[in-house]
Each structure stands twice: as structure tokens, then as C-alpha cells.
């Protein structure tokens, strides 16, 4: 069996006078047939024809074009670099290439100069002339644009020496930030579609499923169901029509894992879906993606068109006899559609509402047919597993949680962004190793993992390994991968209220426990935050939470009490302070705050008086001012405007 890097056939069986309908010109031998059966033995070599190996002597300017950097103006950098390179006649020796998200969104726009791997942060168009003249022309690295470690103060020359990257294990994200997501040639050059050719020409459908089972891959969308087992159910299900569905309805606040993979490496997701379709016997797939992800949808459309153009998707893929097509379905932004049965209902053209289970989608899914549903990250893992083997993948992680996991690391942490770490790593290693610790030297209080349906874990759980079983036993869930870090200024009661407010608003209302129960719990939390709570409210909250978990129809309702239960378990003293002492320990809940002015620090500048929207502050110029507490609405404008520390809240 030829490898992808072997040259293709000696000559095309079609002549120039009678060309085949669709061919790709091979850089070594000429055209290679797309539809001639006689070229079947050489079909895998076509992938080499898609790309031209990069010139090792040629420098590359890699510019992050993910959503974060794009919103910071990275597209202007493409124009600026192109203009400057032309000015110095460097366009033949230096290429400019857009990439997907590098992950370190906080430091964007990001620019990498290859092959030296020089890593520039927060680059603006006015910095481009200095980079081109100083670095590319005269060989001097622009030090002021290098990343500076907030703890050590040291500058990192290459991205590999930045702690944020150095302590990760980027498997699914290995292409993000390094290839052009809008060019299939870049994906093929990095080994793309080798797993598909291996599956189609060297493995049976059953062997593909067994390899996925061997890997131990579990669904990365939340529940962690074994992927290979799910595929085997669909494979064994009766019926000629089956479907593969990619769940890209990423609705968690602060989560951007799936979006970044779709924007940075869309072909990896397509390849995983095609392999899945081959394994289970499906010929059609859907990607259900949020309409709020326009860049992801744009790049998916480009990737699908390119894959179809080169015979990697569509009819008779690579002359293997296997047909598979993929369609995009843009969701309307309902959080409940992240639940698999609600998602299927939405694809069918109905309002996205969950269905009772059983029957499960593997037996009766889309339009009543057996259906595989996995999320973006799960499918992106599949090509790696098929290419390198299930045992290779299973060698990483823990006994029951294999491989790596992508997290959106956000909140009160120095290094925010997209991180990929091996399963089994501790919270402490992620937050203080990859994340660089808490901002402004403040004290760590909690980390919320698993999105709105996750749990809040305290400092004593920092050494908890990140795997499905450990998180569940601690009162949290893996979820899709949201990781929100909180410091001492965070009120845990307010956090529970924030997430419950989100899930209550997103409830579809189909089942009574979720529709009514979340509303009652939210009313209680509002009372507590306003200083009107009663001690018996805590028992009521706990009882309601247990009932909803046990009786709600779908996963949204069953998991939405987690933030309340976990904060009651680990931060009950904060609830009690709100109720007994009418005090918010974190000074967050406005109804429990009182603003005052320290006479010995007040200079009478009048800034606070001017800022007050209700005229609650009075006093003569250059004389200590006063706050009328009966009129104060506790907005905090006076605190923000005071430059002398005279305004305090308690």
C-alpha cells in the first residue's frame, strides 16, 4: 500500500485530448484521474497533489484570524504586512498567512514569524513597519512586542517558551494557529485526510469502531458517554438510512472551544464526521452550529466546498464507493438545543424542545432514523485516533478518562484563553501553571467548571484531577469545557444566581420541574441577595434542587441546580452571612452595601457629587462631602470617580 508521500502513477490513463471530468494536477507526474477505475490503486496519492510542500528557506508571517483577534483588528495586519513586504521587495521570500485561533486571546492580535517561531503579542498596524524593517530586514527581534510573564517579568522569544503554551498538550488544537483554515492544502500538508484514506482502504467499518473503542474516547459535549459504544449502537441499528450529527450549539456563557476549532481547523471536524459515517453506515451528516458564529459557518462552507471539489466528500469518496454529504444547519441561539433530542427536533424544522428518552437517538433519532450525535471536539479527535491508533490515544489521560480536554479558561486569571490539557491534570496545574495564577495577586476563591450546569469548587479541591468521575463526585461536571476562575471579590451567592438566571431564562418550559422549579429557586436567591432571606430558604433551595435533578425531562433541567448545590456545599457560610448578618462578604450584592465618605481623606473635589445620578452627595467645595443613605441607589459611581480613596463600601 502506497503512502501519501509516494509519487502518483506514471501517467494518466486519460489523454489531454480526452481529459477526465475532475482531476488535480500532481506536482510530480501530471494529472491524476478522479473517476477512472484504472487509477484506483493510486488514488491515495492524490492528496499529495493538493499541496506543495513549503519552502523551508521561506519565512512565514502567521496572523491570527480567529474571532478574538479579528475583532481586535488582525485583518488590518494582513494588509499592513503585505504593503511593507512589497516596499522592501520581500514578497517572494516572505509569505503572509492567516490562521485560526492561537488560544491566547487576551494577548491578541497575535503574530508568529516562522520558522524561528518568534511570538509577537498585541500587534497593531503601526507596529508592522518596525517588525518588517527590524526583524525581517535587519534580523533584530522587536523585544517590546514579545510576551512578558506577569509573575517573573521575563520575555518569551518563541511561543514554545510561553508558559501558557509550554504546559499544554495540544492534540485537537495542533493545527489551530499554524495552518490557514480556508486552504485545504495546508490541512493536507499537516497530515490531513490520511486517517480517512486509512479507514476507507485499510479498515472495515467494524475495525474503525473497535479502534475508537480501544482509544477510550468519551463524548466531549458533557455527559462523557463512550464514543465507540455509541457508534456501535448505530451500526447495529436496523435501517438503510442513518445520520451523523455534529453538535456545535455551544451556548455556555464564556465558552468558545467548539467555535475556535471550527474556525481554526474545520477539515478535522469534517474528516471525523466522514469516518464516523463510514463506520456506522450513514451517508448524510449535519453540523448544527450557532448562527452567532458567522466566521465558523463561513469557514465550514469553504471547507465543505473544497472537500467536495477534491473528491474527499460527496459521491464515491476517493473512488472508494462510499458516499457521504454534510449540510450546515444554523441554530437560532436556544441553549436548550444543545440537548441532543432538542437539537434533532430543531433540525427537523420544529421548535427545539427535548423528547423523552428512551428511545435514544442511536435507535430513533433524526426523522426517526438511527443517529450518531457527537460534539465538535469529539469528531476532531477521531482522525488522530484512526491515524495513530487507539492504543496511542489511550496511553494519555487516566484509567477511565483518556486523551486531552479543551477548556475555555476565563475569569480572574492572568492568562485567559483556549487551553488543551491531558485528562487527569489537576485544577491547580491549569489555573496556576497554564493560567499564570490569579490577577493582581488576589486570593483564589473558586473555579466554576462545566458551564451554567456545572459546579463551583473551592480551594481545597484545587488538587482534584480533571476527569469525569472525579468532577462528578465533587459536585461538578466536565461539561463542554468552560472554566471560570473566581477570586476573593466574587460573591458565590451572586454566582449561583447568575447561572440559574441564565438556565431559567433558557428553559423551554416543556416540563414542570424545570419550568416552575428554576423560577422558584431564582426567587429565593434574589431575596437572599437583597437581604430578605430566611434560614429555612436554604433547606428549601436544597430540596427543590434535588427534586429538579431527579424529575426534569432533559439534561438542562437535570443539571441546572448544580451551581446552587455546590455553592451550598462549599460556601454555605456566605449564604448564612447574607441571611443572618445582612452582609455580603465579597461586597458585591448592592442591596447589602452601604457607601460612605471618609472625612479625613475627602478633599472636597466634587468628583463624586458630579457623578452621582440621584444627587445623594452634598458638600461645599474643598470641604468633606456626605452621602444621604436614604437617597443612595448604591450604583458605585462615586467609588469609581474618587481618586483619593475617600469613598468606601461596606
Amino acid at each position: 500500500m502506497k503512502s501519501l508521500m509516494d509519487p502518483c502513477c506514471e501517467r494518466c490513463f486519460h489523454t489531454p485530448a480526452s481529459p477526465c471530468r475532475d482531476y488535480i494536477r500532481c506536482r510530480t507526474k501530471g494529472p491524476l484521474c478522479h473517476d477512472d477505475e484504472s487509477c484506483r490503486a493510486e488514488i491515495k496519492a492524490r492528496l499529495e497533489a493538493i499541496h506543495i510542500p513549503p519552502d523551508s528557506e521561506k519565512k512565514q508571517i502567521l496572523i491570527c484570524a480567529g474571532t478574538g483577534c479579528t475583532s481586535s483588528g488582525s485583518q488590518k495586519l494582513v494588509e499592513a504586512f503585505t504593503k511593507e513586504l512589497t516596499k522592501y521587495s520581500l514578497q517572494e521570500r516572505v509569505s503572509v498567512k492567516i490562521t485560526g485561533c492561537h488560544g491566547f486571546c487576551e494577548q491578541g492580535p497575535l503574530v508568529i514569524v516562522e520558522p524561528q517561531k518568534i511570538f509577537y503579542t498585541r500587534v497593531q498596524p503601526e507596529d508592522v513597519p518596525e517588525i518588517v524593517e527590524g526583524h525581517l530586514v535587519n534580523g533584530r527581534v522587536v523585544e517590546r512586542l514579545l510576551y512578558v510573564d506577569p509573575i517573573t517579568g521575563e520575555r518569551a522569544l518563541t511561543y514554545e517558551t510561553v508558559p501558557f503554551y509550554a504546559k499544554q498538550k495540544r492534540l485537537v488544537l495542533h493545527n489551530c494557529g499554524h495552518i490557514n483554515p480556508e486552504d485545504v492544502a495546508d490541512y493536507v500538508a499537516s497530515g490531513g485526510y490520511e486517517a480517512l484514506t486509512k479507514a476507507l482502504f485499510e479498515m472495515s467499518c467494524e475495525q474503525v469502531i473497535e479502534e475508537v473503542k480501544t482509544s477510550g474516547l468519551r463524548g466531549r459535549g458533557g455527559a462523557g458517554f463512550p464514543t465507540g459504544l455509541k457508534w456501535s449502537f448505530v451500526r447495529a441499528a436496523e435501517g438503510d438510512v442513518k445520520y451523523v450529527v455534529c453538535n456545535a450549539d455551544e451556548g455556555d456563557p464564556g465558552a468558545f472551544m467548539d467555535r475556535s476549532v471550527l474556525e481554526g481547523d474545520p477539515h478535522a471536524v469534517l474528516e471525523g464526521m466522514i469516518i464516523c459515517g463510514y463506520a456506522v453506515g450513514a451517508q448524510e451528516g449535519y453540523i448544527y452550529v450557532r448562527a452567532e458564529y458567522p466566521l465558523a459557518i463561513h469557514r465550514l462552507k469553504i471547507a465543505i466546498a473544497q472537500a467536495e471539489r477534491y473528491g474527499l466528500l460527496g459521491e464515491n469518496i476517493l473512488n472508494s464507493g462510499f458516499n457521504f454529504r454534510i449540510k450546515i444547519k444554523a441554530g437560532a441561539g436556544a441553549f436548550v438545543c444543545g440537548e441532543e433530542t432538542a437539537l434533532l427536533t430543531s433540525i427537523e424544522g420544529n421548535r427545539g424542545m427535548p423528547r423523552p428518552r428512551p428511545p435514544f437517538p442511536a435507535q430513533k433519532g433524526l426523522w426517526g432514523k438511527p443517529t450518531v450525535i457527537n460534539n465538535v471536539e469529539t469528531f476532531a479527535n477521531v482522525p488522530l485516533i484512526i491515524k495513530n491508533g487507539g492504543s496511542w490515544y489511550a496511553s494519555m489521560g487516566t484509567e477511565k478518562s483518556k486523551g486531552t480536554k479543551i477548556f475555555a479558561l476565563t475569569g480572574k486569571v492572568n492568562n485567559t484563553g483556549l487551553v488543551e490539557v491531558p485528562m487527569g491534570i489537576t485544577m491547580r496545574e491549569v489555573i496556576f501553571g497554564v493560567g499564570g495564577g490569579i490577577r493582581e495577586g488576589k486570593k483564589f476563591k473558586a473555579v466554576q467548571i462545566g458551564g451554567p450546569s456545572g459546579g463551583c469548587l473551592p480551594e481545597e479541591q484545587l488538587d482534584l484531577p480533571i476527569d469525569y468521575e472525579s468532577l462528578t463526585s465533587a459536585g461538578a461536571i466536565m461539561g463542554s469545557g468552560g472554566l471560570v476562575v473566581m477570586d476573593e471579590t466574587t460573591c458565590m451567592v451572586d454566582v449561583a444566581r447568575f447561572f440559574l438566571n441564565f438556565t431559567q431564562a433558557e428553559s423551554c418550559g416543556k416540563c414542570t420541574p424545570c419550568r416552575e422549579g428554576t423560577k422558584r429557586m431564582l426567587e429565593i436567591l434574589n431575596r437572599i441577595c437583597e437581604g430578605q432571606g430566611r434560614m429555612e430558604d436554604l433547606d428549601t433551595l436544597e430540596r427543590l434542587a434535588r427534586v429538579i435533578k431527579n424529575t426534569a425531562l432533559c439534561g438542562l433541567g437535570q443539571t441546572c441546580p448544580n451551581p446552587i448545590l455546590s455553592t451550598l456545599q462549599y460556601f454555605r457560610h456566605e449564604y448564612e452571612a447574607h441571611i443572618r448578618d445582612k452582609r455580603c462578604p465579597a461586597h458585591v450584592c448592592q442591596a447589602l452595601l452601604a457607601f460612605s465618605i471618609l472625612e479625613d481623606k475627602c478633599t472636597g473635589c466634587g468628583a463624586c457629587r458630579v457623578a452621582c445620578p440621584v444627587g445623594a452627595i452634598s458638600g461645599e467645595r474643598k470641604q468633606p462631602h456626605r452621602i444621604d443613605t436614604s437617597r443612595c441607589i448604591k450604583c458605585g459611581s462615586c467609588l469609581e470617580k474618587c481618586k483619593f480613596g475617600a469613598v468606601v463600601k461596606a
Side-chain angles (χ1 to χ4, degrees), residues 99-100 110 160 201 225 231 246 265-266 268 415 425 497 540 560 615 636:
T99 70
L110 300 172
E160 294 176 332
F201 294 101
F225 192 83
W231 290 15
C246 176
D265 199 9
N415 300 331
I425 193 173
R497 179 174 64 164
T540 304
C560 71

Side-chain angles (χ1 to χ4, degrees), residues 311-353:
L312 302 166
L313 182 64
E315 300 297 317
N316 192 22
I317 295 175
L318 294 176
N319 275 6
S320 64
F322 172 60
N323 308 323
F324 193 78
R325 292 197 175 277
I326 294 177
K327 298 178 181 178
I328 298 173
K329 169 67 175 179
F335 180 67
V336 72
C337 286
E339 197 277 336
E340 58 183 20
T341 61
L343 183 151
L344 295 177
T345 305
S346 180
I347 292 178
E348 292 169 353
N350 303 310
R351 179 183 175 189
M353 300 181 79

Side-chain angles (χ1 to χ4, degrees), residues 46 135 159 256 270 301 354 406 426 429 518 521 612 628 637:
R46 319 166 29 120
H135 184 166
Y159 61 83
F256 50 95
L270 300 186
K301 289 180 177 178
I406 302 176
T426 65
E429 291 175 282
T518 55
M521 286 197 297
C612 182
D628 183 349
S637 297

Side-chain angles (χ1 to χ4, degrees), residues 42-327:
E42 305 293 340
I43 196 66
K44 289 201 299 179
R46 319 166 29 120
L47 291 185
E48 183 183 348
I50 297 177
H51 79 281
I52 298 176
D55 186 348
S56 60
E57 299 297 322
K58 191 173 184 178
K59 286 186 172 64
Q60 286 187 319
I61 306 293
L62 307 183
I63 301 173
C64 179
T67 293
C69 287
T70 298
S71 63
S72 299
S74 64
Q75 289 295 335
K76 296 180 181 178
L77 296 179
V78 177
E79 301 171 7
F81 271 109
T82 302
K83 180 180 178 181
E84 284 298 311
L85 291 175
T86 304
K87 176 181 175 181
Y88 288 93
S89 300
L90 292 174
Q91 62 270 28
E92 297 299 324
R93 291 186 289 147
V94 182
S95 63
V96 179
K97 182 167 72 174
I98 64 168
T99 70
C101 179
H102 290 251
F104 210 173
C105 308
E106 181 187 21
Q107 297 290 322
L110 300 172
V111 171
I112 294 178
V113 180
E114 294 282 15
Q116 300 98 327
K117 304 177 182 179
I118 306 301
F119 184 69
Y120 290 126
T121 64
R122 295 175 179 163
V123 180
Q124 298 300 317
E126 53 267 27
D127 299 319
V128 172
E130 186 177 359
I131 295 175
V132 173
E133 181 182 7
H135 184 166
L136 300 178
V137 176
N138 297 315
R140 296 192 305 269
V141 173
V142 183
E143 291 192 9
R144 66 178 182 82
L145 296 176
L146 298 177
Y147 171 75
V148 179
D149 191 298
I151 299 176
T152 65
E154 296 180 358
R155 297 184 183 275
L157 186 63
T158 67
Y159 61 83
E160 294 176 332
T161 58
V162 176
F164 179 81
Y165 294 108
K167 299 183 180 181
Q168 294 186 46
K169 191 174 186 66
R170 295 169 74 87
L171 297 182
V172 173
L173 298 179
H174 74 285
N175 278 335
C176 292
H178 298 284
I179 68 169
N180 183 348
E182 298 181 9
D183 187 355
V184 65
D186 264 17
Y187 181 67
V188 171
S190 67
Y193 290 109
E194 289 185 9
L196 175 60
T197 58
K198 179 180 179 181
L200 292 179
F201 294 101
E202 300 177 24
M203 303 173 72
S204 66
C205 302
E206 291 76 13
Q207 286 175 323
V208 171
I209 293 175
E210 285 304 313
E211 204 68 50
V212 176
K213 284 183 177 180
T214 300
S215 73
L217 176 65
R218 298 172 66 170
R220 296 298 194 252
F225 192 83
T227 303
L229 187 59
K230 180 184 287 189
W231 290 15
S232 67
F233 291 157
V234 177
R235 176 70 186 173
E238 295 182 0
D240 296 330
V241 178
K242 299 175 183 179
Y243 295 100
V244 174
V245 175
C246 176
N247 184 349
D249 189 58
E250 187 175 48
D252 297 5
F256 50 95
M257 299 77 61
D258 291 351
R259 185 196 74 194
S260 296
V261 173
L262 292 176
E263 291 176 358
D265 199 9
H267 283 282
V269 181
L270 300 186
E271 186 176 8
M273 292 181 68
I274 300 168
I275 292 171
C276 176
Y278 168 72
V280 304
Q283 295 191 15
E284 191 170 358
Y286 285 85
I287 301 177
Y288 189 93
V289 60
R290 297 179 70 80
E292 295 91 337
Y293 287 176
L295 184 58
I297 294 174
H298 171 70
R299 288 180 177 164
L300 275 173
K301 289 180 177 178
I302 292 175
I304 289 172
Q306 290 177 339
E308 289 176 342
R309 175 186 176 189
Y310 291 115
L312 302 166
L313 182 64
E315 300 297 317
N316 192 22
I317 295 175
L318 294 176
N319 275 6
S320 64
F322 172 60
N323 308 323
F324 193 78
R325 292 197 175 277
I326 294 177
K327 298 178 181 178

Side-chain angles (χ1 to χ4, degrees), residues 427-445:
M427 294 282 190
R428 189 183 302 276
E429 291 175 282
V430 174
I431 296 169
F432 291 91
V434 179
I438 310 303
R439 287 180 179 174
E440 300 174 4
K442 292 181 178 178
K443 186 179 179 181
F444 170 87
K445 177 181 272 190

